[in-house]
């Protein structure tokens, strides 16, 4: 009868069987498992997990219920050799394939840091390449061992035994979801605060909290901008006005110029009729010249006010970039218009010269006992 029971046990447990047991004892380099067999069940440390482990207790504890695969029955030594990693792999591949097909996000623990990435246990050996760990570059992964990461499977090959995972894909997906939500929050006409992330030849990209918007070079400032780097630098905090939002394309058009007071704001407090100021000739046109008084503020010198003599075109006496003194004739902040005159500055100067000359000559004539005639005064002045 006893022999019959032994025979039944041998038939019940054969090489390749997957059975359940309970961890009875942990020894150096192995775990003993009670599987209800006449021999002790032994899981060598190398058969505990699909990755290298330092200690048996890192994977199992006494009392744990485990599923194991029978590798061989050693009647001579009176033990049965088991594998936890082989049993785990039986179901793992089906579960992993399902996760891969569904695009599931799940948590794994980093078991080891190796050249090129991280090793994890997903029932079989899983690998996270260094480039797929974070959205940013990581120079040293040494402190990642033991960390829990949320990943998804990006490459799966059961025949090759390959499972490639990515945390970066999960982070990218979350950023895109946040971006989509943020895009629907942003509305044209809003004035927002953002951070300059990147500068290009045609403008600057500003982060609005998960969404980057473009400030085109034409919207950088109220005055002409040669290069965006003349106005902003990376890391700057800027106020921007939302011009347009295209959620489908993920594009947001912004303006720094529209969010800041215009150069004409308060211009009537800075310039009044009669003021004589210095400006720079910026444009010559058929009807006169535009003179810049402040960045973005230009006044017109009409052709009739360019000089004391008749000129057919402004370029007869002026050139672009020339610094000139002008007299303010009229200022309108509402119309963004300033009328200027070079002729009146020259006329004022001529009158002052005449008055000064007359005064000086009258003084000289008094010393000599007489004022002289106006003809004498103006004749001398004109000769001079």
């Amino acid at each position: 009868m006893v022999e019959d029971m032994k025979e039944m046990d041998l038939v019940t447990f054969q090489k390749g069987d997957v059975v359940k047991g309970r961890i009875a004892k942990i020894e150096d380099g192995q775990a003993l498992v009670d599987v209800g067999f006449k021999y002790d069940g032994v899981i060598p440390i190398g058969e505990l997990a699909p990755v290298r482990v330092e200690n048996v207790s890192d994977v199992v504890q006494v009392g744990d219920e485990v599923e194991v695969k029978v590798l061989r029955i050693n009647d001579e030594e009176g033990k049965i050799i088991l594998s936890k990693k082989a049993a785990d792999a039986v179901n793992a591949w089906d579960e992993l394939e399902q996760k891969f097909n569904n695009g599931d996000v799940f948590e794994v623990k980093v078991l080891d840091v190796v050249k090129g990435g991280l090793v994890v246990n997903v029932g079989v050996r899983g690998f996270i390449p260094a480039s797929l760990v974070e959205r940013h570059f990581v120079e040293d992964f040494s402190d990642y061992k033991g960390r829990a990461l949320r990943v998804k499977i990006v490459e799966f090959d059961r025949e090759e035994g390959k499972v490639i995972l990515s945390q970066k894909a999960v982070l990218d997906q979350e950023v895109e979801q946040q971006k989509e939500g943020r895009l629907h929050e942003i509305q044209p006409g809003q004035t927002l605060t953002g951070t300059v992330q990147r500068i290009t030849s045609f403008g600057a990209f500003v982060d609005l909290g998960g969404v980057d918007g473009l400030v085109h070079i034409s919207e950088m400032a109220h005055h002409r901008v040669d290069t965006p780097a003349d106005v902003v630098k990376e890391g700057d905090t800027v106020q921007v006005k939302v011009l347009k939002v295209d959620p489908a394309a993920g594009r947001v058009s912004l303006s720094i110029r529209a969010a800041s007071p215009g150069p004409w704001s308060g211009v009537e407090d800075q310039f009044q009729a009669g003021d004589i100021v210095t400006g720079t000739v910026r444009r010559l046109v058929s009807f006169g010249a535009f003179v810049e008084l402040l960045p973005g503020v230009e006044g017109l010198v009409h052709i009739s006010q360019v000089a004391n003599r008749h000129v057919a075109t402004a370029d007869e006496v002026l050139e672009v970039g020339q610094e000139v003194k002008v007299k303010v004739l009229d200022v309108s902040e509402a119309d963004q218009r300033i009328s200027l005159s070079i002729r009146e500055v020259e006329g004022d100067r001529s009158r002052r010269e005449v008055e000064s000359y007359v005064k000086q000559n009258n003084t000289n004539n008094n010393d000599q006992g007489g004022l002289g005639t106006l003809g004498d005064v103006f004749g001398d002045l004109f000769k001079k």
Side-chain angles (χ1 to χ4, degrees):
M1 184 67 178
V2 174
E3 291 299 322
D4 290 342
M5 289 296 294
K6 289 183 179 179
E7 186 64 29
M8 286 175 65
D9 286 340
L10 288 174
V11 171
T12 303
F13 289 88
Q14 296 185 15
K15 182 180 178 180
D17 286 349
V18 174
V19 298
K20 288 184 179 180
R22 192 173 299 277
I23 304 296
K25 187 178 180 181
I26 292 177
E27 296 180 342
D28 245 354
Q30 63 183 18
L32 301 184
V33 188
D34 178 8
V35 290
F37 193 58
K38 62 180 180 178
Y39 299 147
D40 290 332
V42 178
I43 309 176
I45 191 170
E47 294 296 330
L48 279 169
V51 296
R52 184 175 61 86
V53 295
E54 300 290 341
N55 302 296
V56 175
S57 57
D58 290 341
V59 181
V60 294
Q61 299 292 327
V62 173
D64 286 354
E65 186 176 86
V66 293
E67 202 169 58
V68 291
K69 185 175 184 178
V70 178
L71 297 183
R72 68 179 182 274
I73 299 172
N74 192 328
D75 289 317
E76 292 181 4
E77 297 182 9
K79 62 182 179 182
I80 181 172
I81 307 303
L82 308 169
S83 174
K84 181 179 181 298
K85 72 175 183 182
D88 290 341
V90 172
N91 296 323
W93 285 110
D94 290 336
E95 293 176 2
L96 291 171
E97 186 169 15
Q98 187 175 6
K99 283 183 168 68
F100 175 65
N101 292 334
N102 295 338
D104 291 346
V105 175
F106 55 100
E107 192 173 277
V108 295
K109 185 177 180 181
V110 178
L111 297 181
D112 202 5
V113 177
V114 297
K115 183 178 180 181
L118 309 175
V119 176
V120 298
N121 179 11
V122 287
V124 296
R125 184 183 188 274
F127 185 64
I128 309 176
S131 60
L132 299 182
V133 177
E134 302 285 359
R135 300 185 75 232
H136 57 272
F137 173 74
V138 178
E139 186 173 355
D140 183 10
F141 287 97
S142 58
D143 64 343
Y144 275 71
K145 188 172 182 178
R147 280 197 197 181
L149 305 178
R150 289 177 306 115
V151 298
K152 64 189 304 184
I153 302 171
V154 293
E155 190 175 341
F156 179 87
D157 191 326
R158 187 192 292 250
E159 292 182 3
E160 295 290 331
K162 181 189 293 184
V163 181
I164 304 298
L165 306 109
S166 171
Q167 178 181 243
K168 180 178 179 293
V170 176
L171 299 176
D172 286 343
Q173 182 178 339
E174 291 176 348
V175 167
E176 284 303 311
Q177 289 172 348
Q178 292 171 1
K179 179 179 178 180
E180 185 176 346
R182 183 71 175 124
L183 277 170
H184 285 88
E185 293 175 358
I186 298 172
Q187 298 297 321
Q190 288 180 322
T191 298
L192 305 171
T193 301
T195 304
V196 177
Q197 293 293 319
R198 185 162 55 95
I199 296 176
T200 68
S201 60
F202 54 84
F205 287 93
V206 176
D207 177 19
L208 300 175
V211 173
D212 284 352
L214 173 65
V215 180
H216 190 266
I217 190 170
S218 62
E219 294 293 335
M220 299 292 295
H222 291 281
H223 57 276
R224 184 178 180 276
V225 176
D226 293 323
T227 172
D230 292 339
V231 181
V232 295
K233 61 180 183 298
E234 290 184 5
D236 280 356
T237 299
V238 292
Q239 291 283 112
V240 292
K241 187 170 185 178
V242 181
L243 302 180
K244 185 179 179 182
V245 182
D246 186 347
R251 286 197 296 263
V252 180
S253 299
L254 305 170
S255 173
I256 293 176
R257 178 170 66 93
S260 59
W264 288 85
S265 179
V267 75
E268 291 181 356
D269 297 326
Q270 299 183 67
F271 303 107
Q272 288 85 39
D275 288 350
I276 294 178
V277 295
T278 301
T280 304
V281 177
R282 291 302 182 198
R283 288 180 293 151
L284 299 175
V285 293
S286 60
F287 50 87
F290 285 95
V291 175
E292 184 181 61
L293 304 182
L294 294 172
V297 176
E298 293 182 357
L300 172 64
V301 180
H302 190 267
I303 190 71
S304 63
Q305 297 293 326
V306 167
N308 275 323
R309 61 183 177 82
H310 173 74
V311 293
T313 58
D315 60 5
E316 291 181 26
V317 292
L318 299 173
E319 59 183 26
V320 173
Q322 179 182 347
E323 191 174 271
V324 293
K325 283 190 176 297
V326 291
K327 186 173 184 177
V328 179
L329 303 180
D330 182 57
V331 182
S332 174
E333 182 176 325
D335 296 329
Q336 296 190 359
R337 187 187 69 246
I338 300 180
S339 298
L340 305 171
S341 174
I342 296 174
R343 188 186 73 178
E344 291 207 12
V345 173
E346 292 179 346
D348 289 345
R349 183 167 58 245
S350 297
R351 284 192 295 273
R352 286 194 300 273
E353 288 177 355
V354 169
E355 291 169 356
S356 175
Y357 191 83
V358 169
K359 183 176 181 181
Q360 179 182 352
N361 277 274
N362 279 342
T363 301
N364 292 337
N365 287 332
N366 283 333
D367 292 341
Q368 296 170 8
L371 292 174
T373 66
L374 287 175
D376 294 333
V377 173
F378 284 104
D380 289 343
L381 178 61
F382 294 145
K383 288 177 184 177
K384 183 177 178 181

